[in-house]
Amino acid sequence: MKKIITISRECGSGGRQIGKKLAEKLGYSYYDKELIDRVSKESGLAKEFIEEQGEHITGSLLFNIASNMTYAGQVFGGNMLPLQDQLFVVQSDIIREIANKENCVIVGRCADFILKDYPDSLHVFIHGDMACKAKRAVNEYGFAPGDVEKTLRKRDKARANHYKYYTDSEWGKAQNYDMTLNSSTFGIDACVNVLYDVVTK
């Protein structure tokens, strides 16, 4: 039986819903926003900053300078690592601590890479067809319908860049995961059931 499940997902694919429902069905702890809360508490960084930067990387020099001026002095003192790198270190330590203590489902945050060598783990990527993802993003997540596809592609590109930067691996590439599932083909509940069967066998 698998004790650790990581869920990586395309924006709009329903990966968070799948992860939460799977955790409930298994009786496992679930970490998504909960992980952000914990990182914020232990680092002193604002939740909004962690949520945005924890899975995205920016090429904007001005943004990085502004971020460091805002947060670095009060959080990390004389540490000369870029703030985003320091955030990744803190986040990684917390993810490992969680995995060492309890059965869990963790969504995003490069958890699949951070825990790639952990025994009894299952690393999953959830993807979907653009039309289905766009519909879900508008109806369930409140995205503006006019440019929703552009927004989804932009967010996935940011996730892919972030993942590449910290792992030197390709985000969403099937070979980097134990399983990939198309939520548009199977639906949310069927994905949960498939994963449950794999985890518990």
Side-chain angles (χ1 to χ4, degrees):
M1 184 165 179
K2 304 297 184 183
K3 298 179 179 179
I4 302 164
I5 300 94
T6 67
I7 305 285
S8 303
R9 76 282 183 225
E10 291 180 345
C11 190
S13 66
R16 279 178 170 163
Q17 295 165 276
I18 291 168
K20 189 170 183 60
K21 286 190 173 187
L22 178 62
E24 291 172 353
K25 190 167 184 175
L26 289 166
Y28 284 10
S29 297
Y30 173 75
Y31 289 94
D32 179 17
K33 301 292 185 183
E34 297 80 1
L35 184 59
I36 294 171
D37 291 341
R38 186 160 172 180
V39 172
S40 176
K41 182 178 180 180
E42 296 193 19
S43 69
L45 292 168
K47 292 179 184 178
E48 295 79 8
F49 177 80
I50 296 167
E51 185 168 14
E52 178 63 24
Q53 296 305 306
E55 290 191 313
H56 300 82
I57 188 166
T58 176
S60 169
L61 177 61
L62 290 177
F63 177 86
N64 287 325
I65 291 172
S67 296
N68 276 282
M69 289 176 63
T70 303
Y71 297 105
Q74 59 180 303
V75 179
F76 294 110
N79 193 325
M80 296 304 291
L81 277 175
L83 181 60
Q84 200 163 27
D85 293 351
Q86 296 177 41
L87 173 58
F88 184 78
V89 171
V90 172
Q91 192 169 260
S92 298
D93 287 344
I94 291 173
I95 287 172
R96 292 188 190 97
E97 181 183 342
I98 290 168
N100 285 331
K101 286 185 176 179
E102 58 187 329
N103 297 348
C104 56
V105 176
I106 303 175
V107 175
R109 310 287 149 178
C110 297
D112 61 293
F113 180 83
I114 294 164
L115 303 176
K116 63 185 175 67
D117 295 325
Y118 273 59
D120 299 324
S121 61
L122 181 74
H123 306 298
V124 182
F125 188 84
I126 306 295
H127 59 103
D129 302 336
M130 180 54 75
C132 292
K133 292 189 297 181
K135 182 178 179 180
R136 180 178 289 110
V138 171
N139 295 339
E140 299 180 24
Y141 306 159
F143 283 36
D147 58 354
V148 61
E149 292 190 9
K150 180 179 178 181
T151 300
L152 293 177
R153 290 190 181 96
K154 183 177 180 180
R155 292 200 175 193
D156 282 346
K157 179 65 174 177
R159 286 178 180 172
N161 288 343
H162 178 272
Y163 191 85
K164 179 69 174 179
Y165 179 83
Y166 284 108
T167 71
D168 198 31
S169 297
E170 299 297 325
W171 178 82
K173 188 176 181 180
Q175 291 90 330
N176 293 329
Y177 306 90
D178 298 310
M179 292 182 65
T180 63
L181 289 171
N182 187 329
S183 59
S184 301
T185 299
F186 297 106
I188 299 296
D189 290 337
C191 286
V192 173
N193 291 335
V194 167
L195 291 172
Y196 180 85
D197 288 344
V198 171
V199 170
T200 57
K201 70 176 183 180

